[in-house]
Amino acid sequence: MASQSSKVEEVVDDAKDTEDITDSEAEQELPQESTSTAAPSKKKKKKKSKAARALSALSGKSEIPDDVVDRVLDVVQSKGGASSQEATAENVRALLEQMKIMDVAKGKTGIGGINKKDMGEHKFWKTQPVPQPGKSCEEPPINDGPIEPSVPREEVRQDPYALPNNFEWSTIDINDPNQAKEVYDLLSLNYVEDDDASFRFRYTAEFLQWALQPPGYFKEWHVGVRVSSNKKLVAFISGVPMKIHVRKNAFMSCEINYLCVHKKLRSKRLAPVLIKEVTRRVHLEGIFQAIYTAGVVVPTPVSVCQYNHRPLNISKLVDVKFSYVPRNTTLARMVRVNKLESTPTLPIREMEEKDVAQVAELFAKFMKRFDMVPEFSVDEVRHQFLSGKGKDEIGHDGPGRRRGQVTWCYVVEDPNSHEITDFFSFYSLPSSIIGSIQHPVLEAAYLYYYASATVFEQGAEKNGKYQERLHDLVRDALIVANNAKFDVFNALTLMDNLHFLKDLKFGTGDGYLNFYLYNWRTQPLAGLNETEDREAGRGVGVVML
């Protein structure tokens, strides 16, 4: 769960008109002003003197305005969570003062904000067709549409972008076991970690094949960078085609994912070149929009969602410090309170090939209720929900699992009409537990897509019938995941998830996921927070892997 300090930092970052982005990989790779590595000794002493004066000034007298403290306090309390109840004006002010001092110590800012880098001043993002910070972001666009027009293929750059010396481009073939392992190794050692560097995603070869090879995928959009001398893969970015609807508009886009640069090469500024190169390759196919997510803020999110976690294996989660035993309770009580039934309550069964057409129809109708959604063909539904079910029989790779299984998808079939009335799905994305010998892997399930025909019954949302059905459907998903020995079940505050998160004992996480659209302008979409025209969650219907 989020600490009070982390919540305050998140709110302050959101509240600022500017953002200092130094810790994320993509921002570390953005072009920076060159600095001399050999400055005269006198100049160094002068810099230390300035830092000392800054620290002295900040620690001597509080300069945090009351209205800033009040604003941060209001937002912290509105976001909920255990720590929000403990927030007061006094400890918020103290934390803000500590953050100011740490910013000076780290060289992020000086007295009065000197040296603070505006989010919009990053050279790379200022060149991209994305909404920029400033006045243009304060007033929502009147009309949705592209920021830059599409161009004919012959006007798209034909040659790859130049890489630094000693590096070369490589198109990755995920079907090649050796190349798939190279991507797996790169991501496993260098990709997303939590803030404490305790957990890191583990993308299996089966997961990558499922995620990167939907119907109509382009091999050329799986872009790698190798060291010229030994051909070692040191950077990667991927794109897959996705038709999306954003409010009243539908268009082909590219889902960008898995931007990763080897930790030892973050100073080579490879990330901007990777982004530009995959963009060039996407443009060559006549596609000029993209969708992507990030845990950090860059210009400019169209929505923000928050992670929620439903603990399944309580003892293990506490052992690895993913969860903690709250005050005034015990581990035994936590286990008892979170215990699930062993058998699903609805008449669910695994989705089969014969269900694909009906699931596709139900999914398309159900998803029209949200503002930003994918449009899946029948072949895409087959791929998304069936192609990752693994090989052999259930139990071959442990209880509730097939060998190499990535996705779980279950349906409810009406016994009389044989119509598919409901379905749910989730996927497996384990994490390495860094430094743990006893528990090297955290088995995490992520809620994927679902749908229920109950919502179309007259008055079903007003009288709570739909919410009850959705609650039962996701509860059965939890039971299936628990029987398959997952440790935790994760979900975001999108779609209709807010209807069941609290009742099904999901805990509010401290992670946020920002959604971005490339070369497309639209008003903010309801995610964690509601908008003027949508309740929370209903703006986002795209689940990014």
Side-chain angles (χ1 to χ4, degrees), residues 382-433:
R382 179 181 294 107
H383 173 83
Q384 296 294 338
F385 304 130
L386 285 183
S387 69
K389 68 185 300 183
K391 301 177 181 179
D392 304 318
E393 298 298 320
I394 292 180
H396 183 90
D397 199 30
R401 298 182 183 226
R402 293 184 177 86
R403 180 164 56 91
Q405 188 165 4
V406 177
T407 59
W408 281 252
C409 186
Y410 285 73
V411 300
V412 177
E413 180 181 359
D414 185 288
N416 299 316
S417 66
H418 299 292
E419 292 183 1
I420 301 301
T421 59
D422 312 82
F423 85 92
F424 67 76
S425 60
F426 61 86
Y427 62 89
S428 168
L429 179 51
S431 290
S432 299
I433 304 176

Side-chain angles (χ1 to χ4, degrees), residues 198-216:
S198 301
F199 305 93
R200 186 187 297 127
F201 288 142
R202 287 175 56 130
Y203 290 96
T204 64
E206 292 85 1
F207 185 99
L208 293 172
Q209 290 171 348
W210 170 66
L212 298 181
Q213 295 182 312

